[in-house]
């Protein structure tokens, strides 16, 4: 326990927030000492989202058992809470753990370290983590009811079908904790709520017998073709083809001279950007666009429909690799020499920006319904064209 305490105390006390957010588009996200580890891309995602960072020697220790304080910090940061490092608001003699435990106390989350300081640096059990996660969802369950709730909502990070199979007394590693948080992201469960004082009705626990307990892979992908970069629609919408000349687009949708702050030409149903050759190299559609009530239902080739499709629909059609968190799902594809497209990780160095394209979806945090689609060359996404 002593070694765990020392390790936990040393984390987050050296690096500043600005140092750990290193995924800046064209720069790879380092995962020190994790080459060949199954969770390398998982940690690259966690670092880029400011969910996790290394110890004072930059090591990430993915296989080390996680403490309650570390788990709270990861969970709350994933939920968008600003938890500063020791160099910010705390006095030198105060612990970096004050931030996450202040949140846990004020949101009535059942963390043992709120009342007993030493428990902050002890390994957290799966059951305690489950109770904290369920509390963060705005419900009040304990024990087996907590596990049943998580299983019913597909966020138990396990394929078990009953609380008896969950093994709640066991501990888990930092990598497994980060994987659990990513499962929350897949289900749109990264909104932070206060736990009610009164226990929640058991009737709100989904029936486990009708729930699919299959875990979503951390970074799955589905194949795309050139047509997946086009915009489709119903009601006679003529369609928008990526790479079309501006004159062709103007003839089809009407000439426009109005632009937004990103230099996209604004058309009645979408915005488009044209490169130096006059070719469409980016387009965007948004529910906030002022369009007539008779506007067509705009969609992608895979049938993801603006204003109707959900986060789960996007994962089903495109895979889970693009899920960043906080409602953003962004996929990156490299065009190969034979004209096909290959999924790539944005967390690794990009060899040729000229050949990379993105498909981005943004869903509403509360409803999980799609409200924005953007397709772009990476150059345009970075503002280089």
């Amino acid at each position: 326990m002593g070694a765990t305490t020392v390790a936990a105390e040393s984390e987050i006390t050296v690096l500043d927030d600005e140092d750990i957010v290193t995924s800046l588009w064209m720069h790879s996200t380092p995962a020190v000492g994790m080459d060949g580890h199954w969770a390398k891309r998982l940690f690259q995602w966690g670092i880029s989202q400011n969910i996790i960072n290394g110890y004072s020697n930059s090591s990430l220790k993915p296989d080390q058992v996680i403490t309650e304080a570390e788990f709270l910090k990861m969970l709350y940061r994933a939920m968008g809470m600003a938890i500063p490092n020791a160099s910010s608001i705390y006095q030198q003699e105060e612990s970096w753990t004050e931030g996450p435990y202040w949140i846990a106390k004020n949101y009535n989350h059942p963390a043992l370290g709120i009342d007993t300081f030493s428990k902050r640096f002890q390994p957290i059990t799966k059951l305690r983590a489950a109770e904290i996660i369920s509390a963060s969802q705005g419900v009040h369950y304990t024990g087996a009811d907590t596990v049943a709730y998580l299983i019913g909502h597909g966020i138990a990070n396990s394929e078990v079908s009953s609380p008896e199979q969950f093994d709640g007394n066991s501990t888990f590693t930092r990598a497994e904790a980060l994987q659990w948080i990513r499962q929350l992201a897949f289900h749109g469960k990264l909104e932070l709520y206060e736990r009610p004082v009164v226990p929640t009705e058991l009737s709100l626990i989904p029936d486990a017998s009708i729930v699919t307990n299959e875990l979503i892979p951390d970074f799955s992908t589905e194949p795309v073709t050139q047509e997946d970069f086009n915009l489709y629609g119903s009601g006679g919408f003529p369609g928008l083809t990526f790479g079309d000349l501006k004159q062709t687009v103007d003839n089809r949708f009407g000439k426009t001279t109005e632009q937004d702050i990103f230099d996209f030409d604004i058309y009645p149903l979408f915005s488009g950007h044209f490169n130096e050759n006059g070719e469409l190299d980016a387009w965007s559609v948004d529910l906030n666009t002022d369009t007539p009530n008779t506007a067509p239902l705009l969609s992608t080739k895979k049938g993801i429909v603006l204003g109707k499709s959900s986060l789960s629909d996007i994962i089903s059609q495109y895979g889970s690799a693009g899920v960043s968190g906080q409602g953003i799902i962004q996929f990156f594809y490299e065009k190969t020499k034979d004209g096909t497209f290959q999924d790539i990780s944005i967390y690794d160095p990009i060899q040729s920006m000229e050949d990379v394209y993105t498909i981005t979806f943004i869903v509403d945090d509360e409803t999980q319904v799609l409200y924005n689609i953007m397709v772009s060359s990476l150059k345009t996404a970075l503002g280089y064209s």
Side-chain angles (χ1 to χ4, degrees):
M1 293 305 299
T4 303
T5 300
V6 171
E9 281 286 7
S10 66
E11 189 192 12
I12 318 178
T13 60
V14 176
L15 301 177
D16 189 85
D17 282 353
E18 293 181 358
D19 297 323
I20 64 176
V21 184
T22 57
S23 182
L24 298 176
W25 290 101
M26 292 306 296
H27 298 279
S28 61
T29 303
V32 177
M34 293 195 64
D35 286 346
H37 195 283
W38 68 267
K40 179 182 177 180
R41 190 170 179 179
L42 193 64
F43 270 75
Q44 289 176 312
W45 166 73
I47 292 169
S48 71
Q49 296 300 308
N50 198 18
I51 296 171
I52 193 169
N53 57 278
Y55 292 88
S56 57
N57 62 357
S58 297
S59 65
L60 293 166
K61 301 184 180 181
D63 300 316
Q64 178 172 283
V65 173
I66 193 167
T67 66
E68 184 180 82
E70 290 176 322
F71 179 75
L72 286 179
K73 185 216 86 171
M74 290 170 59
L75 179 66
Y76 292 152
R77 278 191 166 183
M79 291 180 167
M81 301 299 288
I83 301 178
N85 291 333
S87 60
S88 289
I89 65 171
Y90 305 126
Q91 300 297 322
Q92 189 67 30
E93 64 271 14
E94 291 184 304
S95 170
W96 64 266
T97 62
E98 293 303 314
Y101 280 96
W102 182 89
I103 295 172
K105 181 177 181 179
N106 280 274
Y107 280 80
N108 192 32
H109 295 169
L112 298 178
I114 294 175
D115 298 320
T116 307
F117 187 84
S118 62
K119 292 185 181 296
R120 299 181 180 188
F121 310 111
Q122 294 179 4
I124 187 173
T125 65
K126 288 177 64 179
L127 178 58
R128 179 60 54 180
E131 290 180 338
I132 291 171
I133 289 173
S134 67
S136 75
Q137 302 303 301
V139 296
H140 188 156
Y141 294 119
T142 58
D145 294 334
T146 293
V147 179
Y149 175 83
L150 295 189
I151 292 174
H153 285 275
I155 53 175
N157 195 36
S158 173
E159 294 185 346
V160 301
S161 58
S162 69
E164 292 74 24
Q165 300 171 343
F166 186 69
D167 192 17
N169 292 324
S170 64
T171 57
F172 53 104
T173 66
R174 285 162 57 86
E176 291 169 330
L178 194 55
Q179 187 180 51
W180 200 341
I181 291 172
R182 187 153 176 81
Q183 290 294 318
L184 297 179
F186 293 157
H187 291 83
K189 300 295 185 180
L190 290 181
E191 284 287 298
L192 183 63
Y193 295 95
E194 182 179 351
R195 183 182 72 161
V197 175
V198 178
T200 305
E201 293 288 339
L202 297 181
S203 60
L204 295 182
I205 298 177
D207 185 352
S209 65
I210 60 175
V211 174
T212 301
N213 300 307
E214 189 174 331
L215 284 176
I216 299 174
D218 294 330
F219 295 96
S220 65
T221 59
E222 296 293 333
V224 299
T225 67
Q226 181 70 52
E227 291 184 334
D228 285 296
F229 297 91
N230 302 338
L231 175 63
Y232 298 83
S234 62
F237 181 76
L240 184 65
T241 302
F242 196 86
D244 269 350
L245 292 175
K246 187 178 189 309
Q247 183 177 350
T248 302
V249 177
D250 287 345
N251 290 340
R252 191 178 300 163
F253 297 98
K255 188 174 182 180
T256 177
T257 57
E258 187 179 359
Q259 291 187 327
D260 62 20
I261 59 173
F262 302 107
D263 295 328
F264 277 49
D265 290 339
I266 302 174
Y267 292 87
L269 297 173
F270 64 89
S271 296
H273 183 274
F274 300 88
N275 62 22
E276 61 274 11
N277 297 320
E279 300 165 334
L280 182 73
D281 63 357
W283 57 260
S284 175
V285 291
D286 195 307
L287 277 186
N288 295 325
T289 302
D290 186 16
T291 59
N293 294 331
T294 56
L297 295 176
L298 302 176
S299 69
T300 67
K301 178 67 173 178
K302 290 179 179 289
I304 299 301
V305 182
L306 190 69
K308 289 186 174 293
S309 296
S310 65
L311 172 61
S312 61
D313 295 328
I314 296 168
I315 293 175
S316 173
Q317 293 299 316
Y318 290 86
S320 65
V323 176
S324 297
Q326 303 301 323
I328 299 175
I329 310 98
Q330 189 168 38
F331 300 90
F332 296 85
Y333 304 97
E334 183 176 26
K335 189 173 184 178
T336 62
K337 292 181 179 179
D338 64 3
T340 60
F341 290 85
Q342 172 182 312
D343 163 76
I344 62 171
S345 170
I346 193 61
Y347 308 124
D348 295 323
I350 295 175
Q351 301 303 319
S352 175
M353 183 168 55
E354 299 283 346
D355 301 320
V356 177
Y357 302 85
T358 74
I359 300 177
T360 303
F361 303 96
I362 304 179
V363 300
D364 182 82
D365 286 337
E366 184 173 348
T367 66
Q368 297 301 302
V369 173
L370 175 68
Y371 73 83
N372 178 273
I373 308 172
M374 179 176 174
V375 171
S376 174
S377 67
L378 185 57
K379 282 185 64 176
T380 298
L382 293 172
Y384 289 156
S385 65

